[in-house]
Amino acid sequence: MARTHTILRKHIAMKTLRLLLGDQLNPEHSWFKTVREDVVYVMAEMRQETDYAPHHIQKVVAFFAAMRHFAKERIADGHRVRYYELTDPENPQTLPELVKKMLGEEGCESFEYLLPDEYRLDQQLKTLCQDLEIPARSYDTEHFYTTRDALAVHFEGKKQLVMESFYRMMRKKHGILYKDGAPTGGTWNYDAQNRKKWKGSPAIPEVTQPHQEDLGPILRQIQESGIRTIGQIDLQNFHWTITTREARTLLAEFCERLLPYFGDYQDAMHTDEKNLFHSRLSFAMNCKLISPREVVETVETYYYNHPDTIHISQAEGFIRQILGWREYMRGIYWKEMPAYARGNFLENKNPLPAFYWTGQTQMNCLKQAITQSLEDAHAHHIQRLMITGNFALLTQVDPDAVDQWYLGIYPDAIEWVQLPNTRGMSQFADGGIVGTKPYISSANYIRKMSNYCETCAYNPDHKTGERACPFNALYWNFLDAKKEQLRANPRMGMMYRLLEKKDKSEMDALKERAAAIIANPDAF
Ligand code: FAD
Ligand code: SF4
């Protein structure tokens, strides 16, 4: 009698390793919709990430705190997560070593990762995947409105990549502040109404301190590891949102309390009110705890539901920053990298003044913006552009040095967004890809938009002489020094006509003073 054998074949699914980077903390990602036994996630606090630039201590703490929370939440949801803290002796500290170690230990037969937003990591992961002898696959982070190449496609065949054109396309495509074939309120852009000086009123409402938990253990690990950081930290006053829940609370409070005046005072600066009406959502968004879609749609809905308190210029002024500028900068980055990181159109070579690391200068605007950056790890857009960025450009600092400073000092600084803002918009090192002309100003603009000049050691009205505001001589000297590169720019025509009207003796005096400042900025 023939014996029949029943072969029971137990189906063993192929085990997969999934990598999550520190800025890929998107709890809504489709990866987390189902708990899979055949998937193990890996996250690690790595020296390769803490050491590629000197970061602000608050930035390192915020990232690690957000990562630890994210891992805990996923574990609580039932996912399997291997997490390496910074000081774990088993932590390989580099990405390739981490992935290889995990693949071996977990016996994984495939590797998956989310597309990184930085070119550096993108290259590293591609190289790693070529070395692996198992299948590897990348997935979208499901965070941005656009794909990496959407901007390049939008501007295909065009000479100029004008943000406004991209922004209008985004408004139409996503139906944001756009109804019945027209922009809400009848106008696309209310930038002209976003330039009020803040003079002590309206009062700036308090926003809840987002984070209460003890971050002492993380701070101690960073200190014990000897990581080189910059700036200060006060754990009793730590204001970075490190969970999605905190980010949503901040967004709700922003709509209720700050949005009514956000647009009006978007460009204002003040010694007593560092944050004014800004949202401080950039860190939470950049590590993907909250999506730009959620932020934009929440603000849009709030605007439609509160026509008596929110004017279109406030809502549009805010939405433009995210739906417009943020997505645009990302598109520029992916279109232009890696050459973009080397651009130095104006051939600037000077070192960054030492006071950028201490705040010790008599120039009050710089002192305020830099001290605030060191103490709070934050400065808003106009402080970054028209104070620290403006001075670096006028003193013709090497854009590599400027990039290093901006990349480290703010928790929201991740290269995809930092680089086009710094190298492009602020330093014009891209020769006009992001901005049609350099963002430079003399003391006039700073006095108009802030109260900094009122308590400054220098006089904003004076152009030469010991007490003359350094920005004045530097401004005219810059135009003169960069004539060859900028004179033909149609948007600079008026500035050059004014420059050409100056008589020689005035120009000589301005250039002499500028040369003294550039030679020793730390003496001013
Ligand atoms: P809000 O004023 O409340 O604006 C809301 C949101 O709009 C921000 O959270 C941010 O996500 C977005 N946004 C506003 N302006 C820009 C912009 N120009 N590009 C991209 N997104 C924008 N932003 C970063 O996120 N990371 C950076 O590394 C960075 N570096 C900068 C460097 C320079 C020289 C300059 C001029 C700007 C830089 N910015 C950067 C843009 C801007 O300064 C910050 O996004 C903003 O100050 C963050 O604070 P907030 O969340 O309170 O912004
Ligand atoms: Fe800055 Fe000049 Fe005004 Fe002083 S006077 S705060 S240096 S712009």
Side-chain angles (χ1 to χ4, degrees), residues 36-165:
R36 283 177 45 185
E37 278 179 20
D38 57 336
V39 167
V40 57
Y41 293 92
V42 61
M43 298 176 76
E45 302 165 3
M46 290 178 290
R47 288 300 295 255
Q48 81 155 47
E49 295 308 299
T50 57
D51 296 0
Y52 72 85
H55 300 288
H56 199 293
I57 181 65
Q58 294 187 34
K59 180 180 184 183
V60 188
V61 170
F63 264 101
F64 290 174
M67 288 167 68
R68 288 184 190 190
H69 257 280
F70 188 82
K72 272 190 209 148
E73 285 170 3
R74 302 293 74 74
I75 290 167
D77 289 345
H79 299 282
R80 188 146 174 262
V81 182
R82 294 277 308 265
Y83 190 97
Y84 283 103
E85 292 190 0
L86 181 70
T87 49
D88 186 332
E90 298 289 312
N91 184 339
Q93 306 290 356
T94 73
L95 200 48
E97 292 310 310
L98 174 77
V99 171
K100 284 178 192 161
K101 178 179 160 72
M102 284 298 93
L103 287 172
E105 284 184 14
E106 293 289 335
C108 293
E109 293 164 278
S110 73
F111 172 59
E112 297 182 348
Y113 64 96
L114 298 177
L115 282 172
D117 289 317
E118 281 171 276
Y119 187 83
R120 170 182 69 89
L121 292 167
D122 198 54
Q123 292 297 303
Q124 197 180 24
L125 279 163
K126 278 183 183 153
T127 309
L128 169 69
C129 291
Q130 280 164 8
D131 284 355
L132 298 178
E133 281 163 5
I134 55 167
R137 199 175 154 191
S138 61
Y139 290 79
D140 196 272
T141 53
E142 301 172 10
H143 170 82
F144 293 98
Y145 275 96
T146 47
T147 53
R148 281 179 179 179
D149 65 348
L151 175 133
V153 170
H154 175 72
F155 286 115
E156 201 167 358
K158 301 261 167 43
K159 265 196 185 157
Q160 287 208 306
L161 317 177
V162 182
M163 200 295 279
E164 187 64 22
S165 147

Side-chain angles (χ1 to χ4, degrees), residues 248-303:
R248 286 181 175 146
T249 305
L250 182 63
L251 175 60
E253 293 195 4
F254 168 75
C255 289
E256 217 176 278
R257 302 178 194 177
L258 304 174
L259 183 60
Y261 297 105
F262 174 87
D264 288 353
Y265 299 101
Q266 204 166 330
D267 290 0
M269 297 169 282
H270 200 276
T271 45
D272 301 337
E273 290 293 343
K274 297 168 186 165
N275 196 51
L276 290 151
F277 298 93
H278 293 274
S279 70
R280 294 189 81 137
L281 278 162
S282 54
F283 173 74
M285 255 190 288
N286 291 357
C287 59
K288 305 186 179 57
L289 290 168
I290 192 162
S291 74
R293 201 178 286 271
E294 179 170 348
V295 176
V296 164
E297 288 178 3
T298 304
V299 167
E300 186 195 35
T301 305
Y302 195 89
Y303 158 69

